[in-house]
Amino acid sequence: MKKEKATIHDIAEKLNVTASTVSRALNDNPRISEATKKKVLKVAKQLNYQPNHIASALRSGKSRLIGVIVPTANRNFFSSVIRGIEEIATNLNYRIVISQSYDEFEKEVQNVEALLNAQVDGVIASIGKTTENIEHFEKIMKKGIPLVLFDRVSNDLEVSQVVIDDFLGAYQTVDHLIKNGAKRIIHFSSSQRINIYKERKRGYEEALKDNGIEVDPALILYSNMQLEDGRKLIEDLLKKDVKFDAVFSASDYAIMGAMQVLKEHGYKIPQQIKLAGFGNEPFTSFTEPTITTVDQKSIPMGKITAETFFELLNDKKTDPMAKKTILKPELIIRGSSQKN
Amino acid sequence: MKKEKATIHDIAEKLNVTASTVSRALNDNPRISEATKKKVLKVAKQLNYQPNHIASALRSGKSRLIGVIVPTANRNFFSSVIRGIEEIATNLNYRIVISQSYDEFEKEVQNVEALLNAQVDGVIASIGKTTENIEHFEKIMKKGIPLVLFDRVSNDLEVSQVVIDDFLGAYQTVDHLIKNGAKRIIHFSSSQRINIYKERKRGYEEALKDNGIEVDPALILYSNMQLEDGRKLIEDLLKKDVKFDAVFSASDYAIMGAMQVLKEHGYKIPQQIKLAGFGNEPFTSFTEPTITTVDQKSIPMGKITAETFFELLNDKKTDPMAKKTILKPELIIRGSSQKN
DNA sequence: GAATTTAAGACAATCGATTGCATAATAATA
DNA sequence: TATTATTATGCAATCGATTGTCTTAAATTC
């Protein structure tokens, strides 16, 4: 009953060959005859041999581990990307190691260190909100292992990345709001150091211009874009009696807060004020009215990120070009933005 | 510029000691003098030494990796538990390896195999819906490494587990519905092979009995409890003209579907029909009315699961008692269930 | 049939850290 | 001072798989 795990040496002994032969046989090396391979495979099964990845990793330098860094694992977007990554990785017999930065620069740096120490074969990450410099990511690249960024990326890093076309998503949304009668559109944004917010704002501005509406900086409000922020911003606007007929938020949470306050004040959505968010969080289809938003293609993004990662991993060329994949977002038109 | 990673041998050479001394010094072994330890630490920093976890893992048999198996990473509950686990694990300098079973038995078995091959130091898991037998989990236990189950557990396994008191959560919810005037309460449930659903049903039944209401099996409906299931079940009831004044669903998604259909048919919630779900999914606080539900304490559950795991890991006793932690759920009373 | 390839394995070093046992040097004890 | 304990390291094996080089025997070529 003693289940001592079998090693290649046990197999070797049983067949009167050496461990190297067994190793090569198991790896389908052409230097080993078919007959021997068959025998090895048979004994391996018989002994219930399970390869020791750690030993293999030590010698070969490949751990079959991918480090994944996200700000937080329990936001729908990130957990969906993780889901996508995991699916691809598992199929290729790789494992993913998750770590969270909590949007803290310090933790992000620590996470990179920890993952490198764990000898991951590469890293997939989405940059935290407070990340100031990117030396830790450069360290990964210097090691010569693949690094792929998704969604929250950095322009300072010559590295493969997967994003959605935030500009386009915002542009289409604002254009849609205008086509449905909106003229004075508030925009909720956040730190312009973060690409996605900069791009969404740009999309907002361009859509206004293209529709002959002047951009009024006073209508662009910056916050952390949580639900509470959305509430406060709208309450402020109402207090100051600022006139507006629509809100385009770069975050679904903030637009949710906005909608709550507007409804509390008796405004009719979408008749008096139209709303649109960004992210297609699950709750946006459960509210009343349902919220128009932009789908970020999170699961496909995870899959494509993983695929990009494996391309890099298998690409033996010395300096693989940094490849930028831009996914097309999808405007999901729902009740909060319809004409009357 | 060549950044060859330093090993303990490099440190040893520089100090004219052996690698074993360096290893012991780094591990703060009492057999090494303070003076030497200081010197080693200094040179280690100077060479930017980073320990190779793989090498250490091979020799010591400890990978500092925890395998985590969940049905899906992108459901709020699971991603929150993952978040909690990660937080604790990271603090203890452990890494977590995520894999998803997609509620498929086959995948779950494969995941266990893969994690064991990756030499994880233990496994934390929530069992899939279709899991028929538990041999794969027994295999983990036979290996003598910790296994902790959370939420979806198995009574057949003598293993530490962390759950919420599903019975209590359901009981309190149904009691609350009755106290608010409900008399004929529908219950949405799912496979009775899964503990949590069995317990929730039991809580429902007990609460009815304790309030002098007879349990009517016709009012208990079984499904997969997705949103669509909730819709269908309610549509059926309305078609059949079944009378009821409340619905208690073991899933928030199903109750959401129910609410949609009821509102579409002109029913007033909660005046005519009261609703309550289970899980405290984020969307339940954004609907109209907001949905009464039971909070499952997902992040604490993750943390406690991880803590239980580490207790087991550090417990050198041969046969640590399987420890069952039962968290108290929290009934979150919202608009969908209030008296008139 | 001698010379040269080729095929199939064996041998042994290696990856980097850990650890049981041995040893040298020093301190404590008789 | 001789003897025993103690302290601080060194030595070498080990974890399990991988891989460059070498060897042997069979196959091919002329």
Side-chain angles (χ1 to χ4, degrees):
Chain A
M1 269 296 98
K2 190 152 281 177
K3 268 223 175 167
E4 296 298 331
K5 52 268 159 203
T7 72
I8 53 171
H9 294 96
D10 301 323
I11 300 178
E13 198 174 353
K14 210 153 189 154
L15 286 170
N16 264 317
V17 296
T18 58
S20 53
T21 301
V22 174
S23 171
R24 291 195 168 99
L26 291 172
N27 288 309
D28 206 26
N29 186 304
R31 289 201 310 199
I32 304 298
S33 70
E34 288 308 318
T36 311
K37 281 182 190 168
K38 241 172 228 153
K39 274 192 259 171
V40 168
L41 254 7
K42 193 176 144 201
V43 175
K45 186 160 293 177
Q46 179 187 318
L47 294 180
N48 188 32
Y49 167 76
Q50 296 293 126
N52 183 326
H53 276 128
I54 297 281
S56 156
L58 177 58
R59 179 63 229 252
S60 67
K62 316 252 130 267
S63 64
R64 300 192 87 83
L65 252 31
I66 308 173
V68 176
I69 304 176
V70 292
T72 168
N74 68 336
R75 272 243 327 265
N76 183 262
F77 173 70
F78 291 116
S79 63
S80 295
V81 172
I82 288 172
R83 176 179 166 133
I85 296 174
E86 199 271 349
E87 195 173 327
I88 300 293
T90 296
N91 280 340
L92 294 170
N93 200 23
Y94 273 73
R95 240 47 57 204
I96 65 172
V97 182
I98 303 290
S99 66
Q100 306 176 91
S101 69
Y102 298 101
D103 273 322
E104 291 170 31
F105 176 61
E106 260 311 310
K107 292 229 176 188
E108 191 172 284
V109 175
Q110 285 166 15
N111 283 339
V112 169
E113 290 291 343
L115 290 176
L116 289 179
N117 285 352
Q119 313 292 124
V120 295
D121 288 348
V123 174
I124 290 174
S126 200
I127 300 181
K129 275 188 186 170
T130 59
T131 296
E132 303 132 19
N133 73 63
I134 48 174
E135 282 170 28
H136 49 311
F137 287 121
E138 281 167 347
K139 190 168 176 181
I140 297 173
M141 300 175 70
K142 269 189 203 139
K143 272 215 160 190
I145 62 179
L147 168 64
V148 180
L149 299 178
F150 69 88
D151 196 51
R152 305 234 209 109
V153 301
S154 163
N155 284 338
D156 301 339
L157 271 171
E158 258 305 307
V159 69
S160 286
Q161 34 189 253
V162 181
V163 296
I164 59 158
D165 192 334
D166 287 285
F167 171 83
L168 180 65
Y171 186 99
Q172 290 179 335
T173 308
V174 174
D175 189 65
H176 159 77
L177 288 171
I178 297 171
K179 295 283 190 292
N180 277 264
K183 291 193 160 50
R184 276 180 67 77
I185 306 175
I186 300 288
H187 179 43
F188 287 171
S189 188
S190 187
S191 166
Q192 294 300 298
R193 285 222 324 276
I194 302 178
N195 246 303
I196 57 175
Y197 299 127
K198 200 159 73 182
E199 284 298 294
R200 290 175 197 177
K201 188 177 110 185
R202 202 165 65 77
Y204 159 81
E205 293 171 341
E206 285 302 310
L208 289 183
K209 284 183 205 155
D210 289 355
N211 281 281
I213 301 178
E214 205 178 329
V215 175
D216 180 353
L219 299 186
I220 303 178
L221 309 174
Y222 302 91
S223 76
N224 201 27
M225 292 205 292
Q226 297 308 296
L227 186 134
E228 276 308 314
D229 300 306
R231 292 189 63 99
K232 282 208 192 74
L233 290 175
I234 292 294
E235 266 161 4
D236 271 12
L237 290 176
L238 294 180
K239 211 168 288 168
K240 289 186 193 147
D241 209 29
V242 175
K243 296 296 169 207
F244 61 94
D245 52 16
V247 183
F248 166 55
S249 166
S251 146
D252 278 339
Y253 286 93
I255 204 70
M256 183 71 227
M259 185 155 94
Q260 288 178 346
V261 171
L262 288 170
K263 283 167 72 175
E264 284 161 22
H265 283 261
Y267 286 91
K268 297 284 174 222
I269 316 287
Q271 292 81 352
Q272 294 173 277
I273 294 180
K274 300 186 201 315
L275 305 177
F278 208 110
N280 197 17
E281 287 286 334
F283 68 78
T284 54
S285 63
F286 297 151
T287 55
E288 195 156 314
T290 50
I291 298 175
T292 292
T293 185
V294 178
D295 187 81
Q296 292 187 84
K297 307 287 171 191
S298 44
I299 295 186
M301 183 178 287
K303 290 190 185 178
I304 290 170
T305 302
E307 281 159 4
T308 305
F309 177 88
F310 284 111
E311 276 171 29
L312 248 56
L313 194 68
N314 298 326
D315 195 353
K316 294 299 164 219
K317 286 170 226 146
T318 39
D319 198 25
M321 280 293 283
K323 173 175 159 189
K324 184 163 187 169
T325 306
I326 303 176
L327 302 184
K328 242 175 111 172
E330 184 185 356
L331 173 59
I332 313 263
I333 298 174
R334 298 213 186 89
S336 69
S337 66
Q338 308 276 31
K339 187 178 285 184
N340 296 351
Chain B
M1 269 296 95
K2 191 153 281 176
K3 268 221 175 171
E4 294 300 331
K5 51 270 160 202
T7 72
I8 53 172
H9 294 97
D10 300 323
I11 301 179
E13 198 174 355
K14 209 152 190 157
L15 286 170
N16 264 319
V17 296
T18 57
S20 52
T21 301
V22 174
S23 171
R24 291 194 171 101
L26 291 171
N27 288 310
D28 204 27
N29 187 306
R31 292 199 311 199
I32 303 298
S33 70
E34 287 307 318
T36 312
K37 280 182 189 168
K38 241 172 225 151
K39 274 191 261 171
V40 167
L41 254 7
K42 193 175 143 201
V43 174
K45 186 161 294 177
Q46 180 186 315
L47 294 180
N48 188 31
Y49 168 76
Q50 297 293 128
N52 184 327
H53 276 125
I54 296 281
S56 155
L58 176 59
R59 180 62 229 251
S60 67
K62 314 253 133 262
S63 64
R64 300 190 88 82
L65 253 29
I66 308 172
V68 177
I69 304 177
V70 292
T72 167
N74 69 336
R75 272 243 327 263
N76 183 262
F77 172 71
F78 291 116
S79 63
S80 295
V81 172
I82 288 173
R83 176 178 167 134
I85 296 173
E86 199 272 349
E87 195 172 327
I88 300 293
T90 296
N91 280 340
L92 295 170
N93 200 24
Y94 273 72
R95 239 50 54 205
I96 64 171
V97 181
I98 303 290
S99 65
Q100 305 177 92
S101 69
Y102 299 100
D103 274 321
E104 291 169 29
F105 176 62
E106 261 310 312
K107 292 229 175 187
E108 192 171 283
V109 175
Q110 287 166 14
N111 284 339
V112 169
E113 290 291 344
L115 289 175
L116 290 179
N117 285 351
Q119 311 294 124
V120 295
D121 288 348
V123 174
I124 291 174
S126 199
I127 300 182
K129 277 187 187 170
T130 59
T131 296
E132 304 130 19
N133 74 64
I134 48 174
E135 283 170 27
H136 49 310
F137 288 121
E138 281 168 349
K139 190 169 176 181
I140 297 173
M141 302 176 69
K142 270 190 204 139
K143 272 213 158 189
I145 62 179
L147 168 63
V148 181
L149 299 179
F150 70 90
D151 195 52
R152 303 232 211 113
V153 303
S154 165
N155 284 339
D156 302 338
L157 272 172
E158 257 305 306
V159 70
S160 286
Q161 35 189 250
V162 181
V163 295
I164 60 160
D165 191 335
D166 287 285
F167 171 83
L168 180 65
Y171 186 98
Q172 290 180 334
T173 307
V174 173
D175 190 65
H176 159 78
L177 288 170
I178 297 170
K179 295 282 189 294
N180 278 263
K183 292 193 159 48
R184 277 180 67 78
I185 306 175
I186 300 288
H187 178 43
F188 287 171
S189 189
S190 187
S191 167
Q192 295 300 297
R193 285 222 325 275
I194 301 177
N195 246 302
I196 58 175
Y197 299 126
K198 200 160 73 182
E199 283 298 294
R200 291 174 195 176
K201 188 178 110 184
R202 201 165 66 79
Y204 159 81
E205 293 171 341
E206 285 302 310
L208 289 182
K209 284 182 205 159
D210 288 356
N211 280 282
I213 300 178
E214 204 179 331
V215 174
D216 180 353
L219 298 185
I220 304 179
L221 308 174
Y222 302 91
S223 75
N224 201 28
M225 291 205 292
Q226 298 306 296
L227 187 133
E228 276 309 315
D229 300 306
R231 292 189 63 99
K232 282 207 193 75
L233 290 174
I234 291 296
E235 267 163 4
D236 270 10
L237 290 176
L238 295 180
K239 212 168 289 169
K240 290 186 196 149
D241 210 30
V242 175
K243 296 295 168 204
F244 61 94
D245 52 16
V247 183
F248 166 55
S249 167
S251 146
D252 279 340
Y253 286 92
I255 204 70
M256 182 71 228
M259 185 156 94
Q260 288 178 347
V261 170
L262 288 170
K263 283 167 72 176
E264 285 161 21
H265 282 261
Y267 286 91
K268 298 285 173 219
I269 317 287
Q271 292 81 352
Q272 294 173 274
I273 295 179
K274 302 187 201 314
L275 305 177
F278 208 111
N280 197 18
E281 287 286 334
F283 68 79
T284 53
S285 65
F286 298 151
T287 54
E288 195 156 313
T290 51
I291 298 175
T292 292
T293 185
V294 178
D295 187 80
Q296 292 187 82
K297 306 287 172 192
S298 45
I299 294 185
M301 184 178 287
K303 290 190 185 179
I304 290 169
T305 302
E307 281 159 4
T308 305
F309 177 88
F310 284 112
E311 275 171 30
L312 248 57
L313 194 66
N314 298 325
D315 196 353
K316 294 299 164 218
K317 287 169 227 148
T318 38
D319 198 25
M321 281 292 284
K323 174 176 160 189
K324 184 162 187 169
T325 306
I326 303 177
L327 302 183
K328 240 175 110 170
E330 183 185 356
L331 174 59
I332 314 263
I333 298 174
R334 299 213 185 89
S336 68
S337 67
Q338 308 275 33
K339 186 178 289 187
N340 295 352

